[in-house]
Amino acid sequence: MRKHRCAVLPLLLLMVLLAALVPRPAGSDPSPRSKQRTLLILDSQKGNPYDEVRRSLLLTLQRYGYHAGENLRVTAHYIGNDVREGERVLREEADKGYHVIFVGGTVATLAAKNVLLGNRSQNVVFASPTDPVGLGVIRDFDSLPAANFTGVCYPVPVKSRLRFVRRLMPQAKVIGLIYAEMPQSVSYNRWLVDLLQKDPEFRGLKVIFRSVPLSRGEYGDDIMAAAARKHVLELDAKVDLFLKPCDQMGTRRSFSETVYKAASKPLIGLVQEDVMGGWGATAAMYPSHDSIGRQAARMVHEIFMGKRSGEIVPEWPKSFGLAFDLQKARRFGIKVPVEMLRLAGRNVVK
Amino acid sequence: MLITVSVVFVSLFASSVINVLYFRKNYTAALITGSFGLAHSLNSVVSEMLALGLPLDSFSGMDQRCRDLVEQNQYIVYCCVADLQGRALYHSDPQLIGHIFDDPVMRRSIAATGPVTQMYQRHDGYRYYDMSLPIFDLKRQHLGVIRIGFRADVVQDKVLTAILHVVATFAVSFIAIAVLLNYFLSRAISRPVAELSRKAEKIAAGDYSVEVQVSGNDEIAALSDTFNKMSRTVQQHLDAVRRSEQRFRALIETTSDFVWELDHRFVYTYASPKVKELLGYEPEEVIGKTMFDLMPPAEAEKMAGTYAALTALQQPFAGLENQALHKSGKVVLLETSGVPIRDADGSLLGYRGIDRDITERKRAEELRRAKEIAETANRAKSAFLANMSHEIRTPLNAILGFSQLLANDRSLTGRQREQIETVNRSGEYLLELINDILEISKIEAGRMVLNISDFDLAAMIGDLESMFRLKAQAKRLTLTTELDHMLPRFIRGDEGKLRQIYLNLLGNAVKFTAKGSVSLRVSGRDAGGKLRLVSEVSDTGIGIAPEESGRLFKYFEQTSSGIRSGGGSGLGLAISNQYALMMGGGITVESEPGKGSRFRFEIDVAPGDEKGVERPKQEKVIGIRSGGEHTRILIVDDRAENRDLLKQMLRQVGFETEEADNGITALEAFVRWRPDLVLMDMWMPVLDGYQATARIRELEDGAKTPIIAVTASALDDERQKVLATGVDGFLGKPFRESELFQVIGSVLQIEFAYGEEAALDPDAGNNACALDPEAIAALPADLVSELQRAVARADLDEVLELLDRVESLDKSCAATLRSMARGYRYEALLEALQS
């Protein structure tokens, strides 16, 4: 607890600094934003994608005219992928009357659900949970939410991701997917199975699932990756590629490194750093964290402007990116189409 | 030039305008095409994104791609991806992302299902070329539009820049072309023409050495080349004229002829400097005078008619001889030649010609004619001598030959033998006389040559002393010979001629000395590195009167004492003197009547080599030793006695002979008899020896059969003529036996057997005992004394007469003594008689 509280101060300083560096957009109308707004940020843990989404959120709010220290008061917490810690923070902060509580990631969203779902007076905006529908905070992405939760989910649509795999490796038949035993994984895996069963486009494609126990804490992803190694070795001869899971393990570095070192098959990553950070993935189709932040900021702005969170339709991420490591692609015999390389733009490791 | 420049200007301007318009169109099209290319490229990326099932606005980084596209393509100003509502989903300008465009251009772009190019008046106030490309998803559902734009003034700027470039290029090109044109025109036309003009002025001033530099092959170059050729031709002509003038001036001034020009009245208008040499006048003195003024009056009168006739003919004349008067009054004989001088119409203006002094030539011609007459006479004399020699030697051949054969006859009595030998000696004397005459003939004809060889001088002096000692003793004269011991024993010179001089001088000295002494002194002296042989024959005889000394060396002239002596032909001293002169000196004489004479001469000799000395064989051929057995010799001679003589000589040594009396019979005999050698007389009737030799050479085996020419001709040119016919040897008539066998041996490579001449005498075999002192002692004392005196006088006739008397007493002893006498072995003979 003590540790988490101490982390609030540097975050506030960072936001003040960013606010000073980013010029205000000319011509913006300050009138609706003259009142003080309060925003509580609760991220599942430190690091990406939460950091990038949060930065995009704040920058976009600035463009809308909300400047930290002026007309916006921001309080931020990390809960270390601990639902209970999240619940505790929320209970402490709930009485302070935040205009919006922003929860980042599946764990934070789950904690918020446990504490705030049904509290119509509290507007909750989530960002980056893998499956908010599965969590039960919204009904779907096509209608207004049933409760006080709205926001932007994280995953790349499963169909797009499988199409991406097909474009890269048209001959691939078996995909290995090792996931952490946590809610978002369950949701994502269900979508994947449904798609393979129902969509003839992907007939003939098979996914072999293996799971590792969820490990929380600062080194949780390392522990999970170490646990996944045996599955990697076991699946290596059976699969044509590994697909990074859409969960806590999938958004971090260790699993990518483990697969790259232990397997002889390529890994299709989940985040940009899987390729550009040199974690070990050969290619990645990732959601734009910036876009998630901007989409969430727009929702926050609307709430600031008077809407209720239940009046805002939840959204998928609106922007995705591609990244390729051509050296690894050559190693695994993958020929990346030119158009995809153009699509990736600068996200190509040569 | 102005036209050329104008044409170039208009051409360049027109081509520049066309190029600009063409460039503008192409450049715009290229930009539009390029823009569409970029749009398609962007669309392919969008399509890839849509293929993944993502919405049009879901691609992260698309804004960056739009910005990159603008940044990477300088002329592109904006790039936008908009949905069908005109909302800018992605834009190169971040401020415009999300902006909804509702202008007509956007509406037309959205409405179009294909590429559209429009002019777009954008909000920034500029006009743009706007290229739009519709976006379809995989199901051909129209989702949006890609728009790319570049400012219209980019094209204008580019065109303007291009125009500026073209104008600049045009200006630079025009200036460059103008400058180059001007340079080349100046170089090709103006400068050469100016150069030509300057050079022409120089040529006009007389300087033909100028030459225009020619480069290229254009008209100016051709003109310059022609100009140079003309200049060179004129220069060459002028040079030729100058050289011709110099040549003729030099000829005129150096020729010995007097060159002149006359007008039609024969008045001198030009006279060369030689007139001074020919006639003693200066040229200025002659000019203005007529040619007749310079002639003796009579000659002038005669030549006036001649020249008048020449003038009428108006023809060149040459070699006209006439007389002229030298300024000194001397008459000069001239030879005049001239050609008429005419004007352009052909009218006679005068004459130009030369006078040549032929006075000396005329005199030389007269001398030459006289000389020719003399030479003709001399040739007649030589021919006479040759004929006479031949005619005399021919019978002498028989006389001497047969007398020699008869002398070998063992059946002859001593008296007969003496008579035969007298015939032989007479013949020898006659032959000697003939030879002397021929020698004179040769000397006079300049055909006498020296026969140089190495010989033993000491032996020669010894022989001479031996020869004359008995004669000197008989006259109780003291004969001394002195040979300078510093002289080499063997010297190189004409032995025969030197011996002949000594014989003549010593013979005369003994002959014309009654008491006292006769001496021969031979010494040598160095004359500039050469050896001079100095000989003196002195006597204490009757001497020579001074008035007669001039006749000593003339042919056929004798001193009064010589005439009184009753002997000699008067040729000896003359011939000796000629010999001495040929050998580098002449005979001089110092004499005082009643006291004696001293004859002296010097000749050039050189130290000789003993190896070169030929020692004459004194043996007689008595047979064939080897190589000549059964040798057949064909004797060809028109005179029977000559054939008979040769036949006997040849057969006595073992040769087989056949005879022919002319060339025809010789050819027949040659074919029939196949001789090994032919002795061919050259002068024969029917077919002479020359033709017969040539015909034999044409026969089979004729070329390899030796032929020896036998002729009485003693002349050298005759000998050369004979040898030129290709004969292998030459034998002059009359010949001695030894000469005959020598030439035969040489030609046939035969080795003869020799024996003492006396050996032929059958009685001579006992000579050894016959010459026993007792045999001599058995002879009457007075007969021996007479013999001794006759031998001492070298009076061979008397000796032989006395030996006839001996023969009646002791035949063999007489034969031995006769043999010794015939061999001039007087000393041995005297010694035998005294023993």
Side-chain angles (χ1 to χ4, degrees):
Chain A
M1 283 295 287
R2 189 181 188 87
K3 181 174 65 176
H4 294 146
R5 285 172 183 161
C6 291
V8 175
L9 185 59
L11 185 63
L12 289 174
L13 290 173
L14 175 65
M15 287 188 292
V16 170
L17 179 63
L18 286 171
L21 289 174
V22 177
R24 298 179 185 183
S28 58
D29 182 8
S31 57
R33 302 163 184 93
S34 56
K35 292 188 293 185
Q36 177 79 25
R37 301 287 192 264
T38 56
L39 175 65
L40 174 64
I41 297 176
L42 184 71
D43 281 331
S44 297
Q45 65 175 39
K46 289 181 183 176
N48 282 328
Y50 314 109
D51 292 350
E52 287 184 354
V53 173
R54 185 174 59 246
R55 183 168 63 248
S56 176
L57 169 76
L58 295 174
L59 288 174
T60 306
L61 287 174
Q62 280 188 347
R63 291 195 193 98
Y64 284 119
Y66 306 103
H67 302 281
E70 293 180 8
N71 57 351
L72 177 65
R73 183 167 61 86
V74 179
T75 302
H77 296 273
Y78 306 106
I79 59 174
N81 274 333
D82 187 341
V83 176
R84 295 191 183 281
E85 174 64 12
E87 289 172 355
R88 186 194 63 79
V89 172
L90 288 173
R91 285 190 184 98
E92 283 183 4
E93 297 287 351
D95 297 336
K96 295 178 182 178
Y98 290 97
H99 288 95
V100 177
I101 293 176
F102 174 86
V103 290
T106 298
V107 174
T109 303
L110 184 57
K113 172 193 167 188
N114 294 338
V115 176
L116 301 175
L117 185 64
N119 184 356
R120 296 254 175 203
S121 61
Q122 183 62 57
N123 296 302
V124 179
V125 175
F126 57 82
S128 305
T130 301
D131 183 14
V133 177
L135 289 176
V137 292
I138 56 172
R139 289 179 296 195
D140 53 41
F141 291 97
D142 301 320
S143 58
L144 291 173
N148 57 334
F149 278 61
T150 189
V152 185
C153 69
Y154 184 79
V156 174
V158 176
K159 192 171 185 177
S160 294
R161 206 170 177 208
L162 286 182
R163 281 179 174 176
F164 177 64
V165 169
R166 275 265 164 108
R167 285 286 287 159
L168 282 180
M169 302 176 69
Q171 306 300 325
K173 301 292 184 188
V174 182
I175 300 172
L177 198 154
I178 303 168
Y179 61 91
E181 294 170 352
M182 56 192 305
Q184 55 262 50
S185 300
V186 175
S187 300
Y188 194 84
N189 294 347
R190 191 183 63 246
W191 295 339
L192 192 56
V193 170
D194 287 346
L195 190 64
L196 291 175
Q197 289 176 348
K198 296 174 182 174
D199 194 335
E201 182 182 348
F202 303 107
R203 190 174 298 156
L205 198 61
K206 177 183 174 186
V207 178
I208 300 176
F209 296 97
R210 294 289 185 271
S211 66
V212 296
L214 174 65
S215 180
R216 296 184 176 84
E218 188 175 356
Y219 304 103
D221 57 325
D222 297 332
I223 295 167
M224 286 186 288
R229 188 171 187 278
K230 62 181 180 182
H231 299 304
V232 172
L233 294 173
E234 184 255 333
L235 292 177
D236 189 44
K238 301 175 183 176
V239 302
D240 298 310
L241 69 144
F242 289 94
L243 196 64
K244 209 174 181 188
C246 190
D247 56 21
Q248 187 59 45
M249 187 169 69
T251 59
R252 307 304 290 270
R253 179 179 189 131
S254 293
F255 180 75
S256 295
E257 290 178 342
T258 298
V259 174
Y260 180 68
K261 290 176 183 174
S264 61
K265 305 295 166 55
L267 174 69
I268 304 302
L270 188 70
V271 296
Q272 185 184 25
E273 282 73 11
D274 275 324
V275 174
M276 301 310 294
W279 291 356
T282 299
M285 185 176 183
Y286 58 90
S288 171
H289 298 168
D290 181 63
S291 177
I292 293 172
R294 277 192 278 112
Q295 287 173 257
R298 177 171 49 77
M299 292 176 179
V300 171
H301 167 62
E302 288 177 359
I303 292 169
F304 283 166
M305 292 301 289
K307 277 191 175 179
R308 304 296 301 175
S309 55
E311 297 171 347
I312 302 170
V313 178
E315 296 176 0
W316 286 83
K318 285 194 172 180
S319 185
F320 305 92
L322 302 179
F324 298 96
D325 186 329
L326 294 182
Q327 294 177 9
K328 292 184 175 69
R330 278 194 292 273
R331 174 185 167 190
F332 295 114
I334 297 171
K335 293 182 179 178
V336 182
V338 176
E339 292 76 11
M340 283 197 166
L341 288 176
R342 289 180 183 166
L343 205 56
R346 297 172 183 176
N347 296 321
V348 176
V349 177
K350 295 179 181 176
Chain B
M1 180 172 169
L2 186 61
I3 294 171
T4 306
V5 172
S6 302
V7 169
V8 170
F9 179 84
V10 170
S11 301
L12 285 173
F13 181 78
S15 67
S16 301
V17 169
I18 291 169
N19 282 335
V20 166
L21 294 174
Y22 187 71
F23 173 79
R24 185 180 191 284
K25 178 184 175 187
N26 284 349
Y27 184 71
T28 305
L31 288 181
I32 291 171
T33 303
S35 299
F36 273 119
L38 294 171
H40 278 292
S41 173
L42 199 61
N43 195 22
S44 67
V45 174
V46 171
S47 297
E48 187 68 27
M49 182 171 63
L50 294 173
L52 294 177
L54 298 174
L56 182 59
D57 61 349
S58 67
F59 183 61
S60 174
M62 199 63 180
D63 291 331
Q64 185 61 46
R65 286 202 59 79
C66 290
R67 287 195 293 273
D68 290 346
L69 190 145
V70 172
E71 288 172 3
Q72 291 166 6
N73 297 276
Q74 193 177 0
Y75 65 98
I76 299 296
V77 175
Y78 63 84
C79 173
C80 170
V81 178
D83 60 17
L84 294 180
Q85 286 71 46
R87 181 186 291 110
L89 302 177
Y90 309 106
H91 203 290
S92 54
D93 182 358
Q95 300 291 335
L96 296 177
I97 294 173
H99 181 79
I100 295 174
F101 293 89
D102 192 26
D103 53 79
V105 173
M106 177 60 91
R107 285 197 292 273
R108 279 196 294 271
S109 298
I110 291 170
T113 56
V116 176
T117 301
Q118 304 174 79
M119 292 309 297
Y120 177 34
Q121 186 71 42
R122 202 162 174 247
H123 57 82
D124 55 9
Y126 293 104
R127 280 169 57 79
Y128 287 80
Y129 282 95
D130 184 279
M131 279 62 63
S132 62
L133 197 65
I135 300 172
F136 296 97
D137 64 7
L138 294 175
K139 298 175 183 175
R140 292 295 297 170
Q141 183 179 351
H142 194 180
L143 300 179
V145 63
I146 296 172
R147 289 178 62 189
I148 290 178
F150 61 87
R151 279 169 57 170
D153 54 10
V154 169
V155 176
Q156 300 301 335
D157 291 346
K158 196 71 182 177
V159 170
L160 185 60
T161 304
I163 289 173
L164 287 174
H165 285 166
V166 169
V167 168
T169 306
F170 170 78
V172 170
S173 302
F174 183 77
I175 291 170
I177 290 171
V179 168
L180 287 173
L181 198 61
N182 182 56
Y183 173 75
F184 285 116
L185 286 175
S186 171
R187 187 181 173 82
I189 300 174
S190 304
R191 215 185 299 172
V193 168
E195 179 77 2
L196 271 175
S197 177
R198 284 196 298 276
K199 299 298 170 63
E201 288 174 2
K202 285 192 174 183
I203 288 174
D207 181 4
Y208 293 95
S209 62
V210 297
E211 187 155 321
V212 180
Q213 295 297 319
V214 180
S215 60
N217 53 3
D218 55 4
E219 291 80 358
I220 295 297
L223 178 61
S224 300
D225 190 43
T226 305
F227 184 87
N228 285 337
K229 286 177 181 172
M230 179 196 74
S231 175
R232 283 196 291 272
T233 303
V234 171
Q235 180 67 45
Q236 286 167 359
H237 286 170
L238 280 176
D239 290 343
V241 168
R242 197 173 294 123
R243 283 197 299 273
S244 177
E245 185 180 346
Q246 289 171 349
R247 180 163 59 245
F248 285 111
R249 185 177 295 281
L251 283 173
I252 288 170
E253 290 178 356
T254 55
T255 183
S256 59
D257 299 332
F258 160 38
V259 183
W260 47 256
E261 282 184 3
L262 302 169
D263 65 9
H264 64 284
R265 296 167 300 158
F266 298 102
V267 174
Y268 285 106
T269 56
Y270 170 78
S272 72
K274 286 294 176 183
V275 69
K276 173 77 175 176
E277 210 170 293
L278 259 67
L279 299 177
Y281 295 100
E282 297 292 342
E284 296 77 19
E285 293 179 270
V286 173
I287 293 171
K289 291 182 179 177
T290 69
M291 62 186 306
F292 308 115
D293 293 338
L294 303 180
M295 292 180 180
E299 182 74 4
E301 188 176 348
K302 185 180 76 176
M303 296 308 294
T306 303
Y307 280 103
L310 287 173
T311 306
L313 291 173
Q314 296 190 6
Q315 292 295 319
F317 59 92
L320 188 61
E321 294 184 4
N322 57 89
Q323 293 179 346
L325 269 179
H326 193 272
K327 193 175 182 180
S328 63
K330 179 178 67 177
V331 174
V332 180
L333 191 58
L334 299 176
E335 183 181 76
T336 303
S337 301
V339 294
I341 306 171
R342 303 177 192 278
D343 61 11
D345 299 328
S347 301
L348 183 68
L349 297 176
Y351 276 90
R352 181 183 296 120
I354 60 168
D355 278 344
R356 179 170 296 166
D357 186 352
I358 59 171
T359 308
E360 290 302 320
R361 194 182 79 189
K362 284 290 180 184
R363 190 172 297 139
E365 285 176 357
E366 288 171 3
L367 289 174
R368 181 169 52 78
R369 277 196 294 273
K371 184 183 175 189
E372 284 175 356
I373 291 169
E375 286 177 347
T376 302
N378 194 45
R379 279 196 297 275
K381 186 182 76 176
S382 296
F384 169 75
L385 284 173
N387 287 330
M388 283 303 296
S389 167
H390 186 265
E391 293 305 316
I392 292 170
R393 290 163 75 95
T394 299
L396 267 178
N397 187 51
I399 293 168
L400 290 172
F402 281 114
S403 65
Q404 289 172 40
L405 285 174
L406 280 172
N408 296 334
D409 192 341
R410 299 166 191 170
S411 63
L412 288 178
T413 64
R415 181 62 187 166
Q416 287 172 326
R417 188 178 302 281
E418 293 304 327
Q419 289 170 343
I420 288 298
E421 287 177 352
T422 300
V423 169
N424 189 264
R425 281 198 306 278
S426 300
E428 291 280 359
Y429 175 75
L430 188 56
L431 181 60
E432 187 179 339
L433 183 64
I434 291 296
N435 286 341
D436 281 349
I437 292 171
L438 288 175
E439 285 295 296
I440 292 168
S441 173
K442 287 180 185 176
I443 291 168
E444 287 188 335
R447 294 199 300 264
M448 179 58 70
V449 293
L450 294 175
N451 297 311
I452 304 300
S453 64
D454 296 328
F455 63 94
D456 187 343
L457 179 62
M460 178 193 281
I461 300 302
D463 287 347
L464 290 169
E465 185 181 2
S466 299
M467 287 175 65
F468 289 96
R469 180 165 298 284
L470 288 175
K471 282 187 180 181
Q473 285 177 351
K475 294 180 74 172
R476 301 184 186 283
L477 299 175
T478 302
L479 175 64
T480 58
T481 59
E482 292 179 27
L483 183 63
D484 187 352
H485 69 280
M486 296 300 290
L487 272 172
R489 177 180 172 182
F490 298 98
I491 62 173
R492 185 168 181 76
D494 191 330
E495 179 188 11
K497 292 185 176 58
L498 181 60
R499 179 189 292 274
Q500 192 66 31
I501 295 172
Y502 285 146
L503 282 172
N504 186 266
L505 294 178
L506 284 171
N508 285 343
V510 171
K511 186 176 180 180
F512 295 109
T513 303
K515 58 178 182 182
S517 63
V518 172
S519 67
L520 170 61
R521 187 178 296 113
V522 181
S523 61
R525 73 178 181 86
D526 179 73
K530 289 184 178 179
L531 180 59
R532 293 280 284 181
L533 189 71
V534 183
S535 302
E536 285 183 6
V537 175
S538 303
D539 64 63
T540 56
I542 58 177
I544 303 163
E547 63 273 14
E548 291 186 318
S549 59
R551 295 156 56 191
L552 276 177
F553 302 114
K554 291 186 176 176
Y555 299 125
F556 303 108
E557 293 198 18
Q558 288 182 295
T559 61
S560 55
S561 56
I563 294 170
R564 280 196 302 275
S565 70
S569 60
L571 297 173
L573 269 179
I575 291 171
S576 295
N577 188 43
Q578 290 297 326
Y579 283 172
L581 287 169
M582 285 181 69
M583 290 188 288
I587 299 175
T588 59
V589 60
E590 295 173 6
S591 181
E592 191 175 342
K595 290 188 175 179
S597 304
R598 184 166 70 94
F599 289 81
R600 183 179 186 278
F601 66 95
E602 285 187 17
I603 60 172
D604 292 325
V605 292
D609 185 359
E610 185 179 2
K611 294 177 184 174
V613 177
E614 291 185 6
R615 301 182 186 281
K617 287 185 177 179
Q618 297 297 326
E619 296 133 325
K620 177 176 176 60
V621 173
I622 59 174
I624 300 170
R625 186 182 298 278
S626 65
E629 294 83 0
H630 309 296
T631 299
R632 292 180 161 197
I633 300 178
L634 174 60
I635 301 165
V636 186
D637 200 311
D638 59 325
R639 297 178 74 97
E641 62 274 20
N642 286 345
R643 296 198 302 273
D644 193 30
L645 172 63
L646 281 169
K647 183 173 69 179
Q648 291 189 44
M649 286 181 168
L650 295 172
R651 284 190 170 179
Q652 72 178 4
V653 296
F655 289 119
E656 297 176 20
T657 61
E658 181 62 54
E659 298 177 39
D661 58 357
N662 63 50
I664 295 296
T665 54
L667 285 170
E668 293 170 355
F670 186 90
V671 173
R672 171 176 45 82
W673 195 57
R674 296 289 177 189
D676 299 307
L677 174 68
V678 178
L679 294 173
M680 180 72 76
D681 181 27
M682 304 309 286
W683 287 14
M684 291 184 298
V686 184
L687 187 69
D688 62 21
Y690 298 101
Q691 298 178 67
T693 299
R695 300 271 291 271
I696 287 174
R697 291 299 187 217
E698 295 172 357
L699 296 174
E700 186 180 3
D701 297 334
K704 59 184 180 182
T705 303
I707 299 175
I708 296 173
V710 184
T711 177
S713 176
L715 298 179
D716 282 344
D717 49 359
E718 178 70 14
R719 183 188 180 95
Q720 296 303 321
K721 183 181 175 186
V722 170
L723 289 174
T725 60
V727 297
D728 301 280
F730 184 91
L731 184 64
K733 294 177 187 175
F735 52 82
R736 294 185 176 87
E737 265 189 310
S738 59
E739 294 170 337
L740 172 66
F741 292 121
Q742 184 183 357
V743 68
I744 289 175
S746 171
V747 168
L748 293 180
Q749 302 294 311
I750 290 174
E751 189 177 344
F752 289 104
Y754 294 92
E756 285 293 333
E757 197 171 343
L760 291 173
D761 191 332
D763 299 329
N766 301 319
N767 280 348
C769 61
L771 279 175
D772 188 276
E774 292 180 359
I776 299 298
L779 295 174
D782 58 337
L783 181 57
V784 173
S785 297
E786 282 184 57
L787 267 173
Q788 287 178 344
R789 285 194 293 274
V791 171
R793 289 196 306 274
D795 190 341
L796 187 60
D797 294 341
E798 189 177 351
V799 169
L800 292 175
E801 284 178 5
L802 291 169
L803 285 177
D804 286 344
R805 288 169 60 190
V806 172
E807 192 175 17
S808 61
L809 300 172
D810 185 338
K811 199 172 184 177
S812 65
C813 183
T816 303
L817 293 174
R818 190 178 292 114
S819 175
M820 294 170 75
R822 284 206 305 268
Y824 300 108
R825 296 160 62 190
Y826 294 144
E827 196 168 358
L829 186 57
L830 195 59
E831 187 178 349
L833 291 171
Q834 288 174 345
S835 63

